[in-house]
Amino acid sequence: MPDLSRRSFGGLLGGGAVSAVAGAASPADAAPAERPFRARTGAAAKTRPNFLVILGDDLGWADLSCYGAPHIKTPHLDRLARQGVRFTDAYSGSATCSPTRFSLYTGRYPGRTAGGLAEPVANRSQGLDPDHPTVASLLKEAGYATALIGKWHCGWLPDHSPTKSGWDEFFGNFGGVLEYFSKLGQLGTYDLYEGDAEYRDLRYYTTVLTERAVEYVGRDHRRPWLLNLNFTTPHWPWLAEGDEETGAVIAARIRAARTPAEVTRALNHYDGGSVAKYAEMVRSLDAAVGEVLAALRRSGQEENTLVLFASDNGGERWSYQWPLSGEKSLLREGGIRVPAILRWPARVDGRQVSHEPNFSPDWTATLLELGGARPDPSYPLDGTSLAGYLLRGEEPPERDLFWRVRANRALRRGHWKYYQDADGTDHLFDLAADLREQADLGPDRPELLAELKAAWERIASGLLPYPG
């Protein structure tokens, strides 16, 4: 198969993706159709933008109706996509929760820091070094107000906290998972905090976070702001509004647990959930985002607020990922390709779709450039700013996208993907022709496979080794 340019690859892949989505949408939603992304050059914002970065938790690539979900309607996120740009080839920085958050907060590969080697962070000894620059600390130095609402998952008190890493305000949970009503988390203890103090609220967690985010965006801000809004929805346990009785059963199991493994088993909720329950949780996430966006509109800040919505990694168990293979924890497409939507009315036109590959650290670099903040030269970024592509009509950056987890390795260059499975077997996939990663072309293209493997190893040689 001849090599394709990244732009022609985007056209091939994007056409199929858009057709699939249009087929799942109503005629009113499908018209007018998305058009290929094109920067609105010549425009300039009078002031620096606010940044509202919203993460879903374990939300699969096709779990939104604007990405083709046949059984889940997400009108608010669909509207956000119509008002901005929908990315078909967006990736998380890793295949699990906390490493991706490390990559988004620092703009670097998770393996640059000791805390990022945990997949995921699971005890009090692990976390993000408070001395490491973050998107929040760098924007704060540039004059931004900063807040994080929701899931942190980059370490616990007393050593780790958003307020130790550049966020002025924190309201949320330190761990990676909690029972939605009791707020009992993965350490078996209560895990809802305001700053460094416990905050008691036993209502459904998505509702609690939404209320706090609505309050924040509705304030009379005197300077530009960054809000990281990290929902736990639709991460297990499989609970929606009104499921207090099921939540109480899980909470009782957590209280009775004698080991961390038993706590995790209770929260994993292997005896619960369903496709219908998962769809209900995704709809609640969509409704929550809708409430926050409505508050932003009422505040008069909508025009010059850049909203970025994405997932922290691929879906699992009940998620709809077709046609991708794999899921959370794996570096197959289903574990790392995520929905991503950007809206910025002041600078970016709506009803657009982009097929350019990008991953979490790119957004860190982009926000820093748009906010007038400079990266710390002692901690060089691994992400590449997309500002030139989004605003000035520049060609998208040409570079390799790299991932490393304990069990897998992956690198994407254009439409080619190098993947090594848990058995140590190397594979080569052409994502333009085989998005499901079923046709291994390594035996047919051994030189290309060796080239991509060598590129992966060059990057990996500069990262910290896994302990043990």
Side-chain angles (χ1 to χ4, degrees):
M1 174 175 286
D3 288 353
L4 300 173
S5 70
R6 294 174 66 178
R7 190 170 298 282
S8 61
F9 162 59
L12 287 172
L13 175 59
V18 172
S19 297
V21 171
S26 68
D29 289 335
E34 293 175 326
R35 59 183 176 85
F37 176 77
R38 184 175 180 179
R40 187 203 304 168
T41 58
K46 296 180 180 178
T47 59
R48 291 180 294 170
N50 306 311
F51 300 122
L52 172 56
V53 182
I54 308 174
L55 286 186
D57 200 353
D58 292 2
L59 182 73
W61 181 69
D63 276 335
L64 308 180
S65 45
C66 59
Y67 277 83
H71 62 300
I72 308 176
K73 298 301 181 184
T74 51
H76 301 288
L77 286 164
D78 294 354
R79 185 180 305 112
L80 185 71
R82 290 196 299 272
Q83 294 170 341
V85 185
R86 185 177 65 86
F87 293 87
T88 62
D89 289 44
Y91 291 90
S92 55
S94 189
T96 51
C97 304
S98 58
T100 289
R101 292 163 202 272
F102 272 76
S103 71
L104 178 62
Y105 298 154
T106 67
R108 311 177 80 208
Y109 300 129
R112 298 286 188 200
T113 63
L117 299 176
E119 296 171 352
V121 167
N123 60 62
R124 293 188 186 276
S125 70
Q126 304 166 332
L128 176 59
D129 183 347
D131 292 329
H132 195 296
T134 65
V135 63
S137 68
L138 294 169
L139 285 172
K140 184 176 180 178
E141 290 176 4
Y144 273 71
T146 58
L148 191 149
I149 296 174
K151 176 175 171 176
W152 164 239
H153 206 187
C154 288
W156 279 271
L157 293 171
D159 297 324
H160 310 286
S161 170
T163 57
K164 297 178 185 294
S165 291
W167 283 269
D168 298 319
E169 302 178 33
F170 169 58
F171 179 85
N173 59 303
F174 284 102
V177 58
L178 48 64
E179 191 276 303
Y180 282 79
F181 298 97
S182 69
K183 311 302 184 297
L184 294 178
Q186 69 185 100
L187 298 184
T189 56
Y190 188 83
D191 192 13
L192 175 57
Y193 285 76
E194 184 169 32
D196 293 346
E198 284 190 6
Y199 184 94
R200 288 284 163 175
D201 193 326
L202 302 182
R203 294 176 299 154
Y204 188 61
Y205 192 37
T206 306
T207 300
V208 175
L209 295 181
T210 303
E211 288 182 358
R212 185 56 65 104
V214 165
E215 186 276 328
Y216 186 87
V217 302
R219 292 182 193 172
D220 183 16
H221 293 276
R222 301 296 182 178
R223 51 190 173 128
W225 47 267
L226 162 71
L227 171 59
N228 290 95
L229 175 55
N230 300 342
F231 289 101
T232 56
T233 318
H235 195 293
W236 39 264
W238 314 111
L239 300 169
E241 188 83 67
D243 287 336
E244 288 92 343
E245 290 186 8
T246 304
V249 172
I250 295 171
R253 292 174 180 172
I254 295 171
R255 294 187 181 99
R258 297 181 179 180
T259 66
E262 290 179 351
V263 173
T264 300
R265 198 154 46 242
L267 286 165
N268 260 292
H269 201 192
Y270 282 117
D271 59 345
S274 64
V275 170
K277 181 57 65 178
Y278 182 80
E280 187 177 353
M281 295 180 75
V282 175
R283 289 195 300 269
S284 76
L285 171 64
D286 178 72
V289 172
E291 287 189 43
V292 176
L293 295 179
L296 182 65
R297 188 179 312 117
R298 292 193 300 269
S299 75
Q301 302 171 91
E302 180 180 68
E303 182 73 10
N304 199 35
T305 297
L306 186 157
V307 178
L308 174 66
F309 174 87
S311 179
D312 63 343
N313 48 248
E316 64 160 331
R317 216 175 308 180
W318 306 110
S319 187
Y320 180 74
Q321 307 251 79
W322 183 261
L324 308 184
S325 64
E327 61 180 13
K328 175 184 176 179
S329 300
L330 299 176
L331 295 180
R332 292 278 191 168
E333 291 293 285
I336 51 177
R337 192 181 289 219
V338 296
I341 299 167
L342 180 142
R343 185 190 74 181
W344 185 11
R347 298 296 307 274
V348 177
D349 292 332
R351 292 193 180 275
Q352 299 194 88
V353 60
S354 171
H355 312 299
E356 296 301 334
N358 61 78
F359 73 151
S360 302
D362 293 339
W363 295 114
T364 314
T366 304
L367 298 189
L368 292 178
E369 179 177 344
L370 297 177
R374 293 185 177 183
D376 188 322
S378 299
Y379 301 87
L381 303 181
D382 293 310
T384 302
S385 174
L386 303 176
Y389 168 68
L390 292 170
L391 305 180
R392 299 186 292 272
E394 299 174 4
E395 286 295 310
E398 294 281 350
R399 72 280 160 69
D400 297 335
L401 298 184
F402 167 94
W403 298 269
R404 182 190 74 166
V405 300
R406 282 182 178 269
N408 293 163
R409 55 168 68 175
L411 181 139
R412 175 170 173 171
R413 177 180 293 175
H415 58 92
W416 293 105
K417 180 176 176 181
Y418 161 62
Y419 173 74
Q420 185 183 92
D421 61 28
D423 295 328
T425 303
D426 294 324
H427 306 270
L428 179 68
F429 299 113
D430 177 3
L431 296 179
D434 176 28
L435 189 56
R436 193 157 174 77
E437 299 173 287
Q438 298 298 303
D440 181 8
L441 301 180
D444 300 329
R445 303 289 299 268
E447 292 182 358
L448 179 58
L449 175 61
E451 180 182 340
L452 297 186
K453 179 176 182 177
W456 186 95
E457 290 175 342
R458 281 195 299 273
I459 296 174
S461 67
L463 305 184
L464 298 175
Y466 287 108

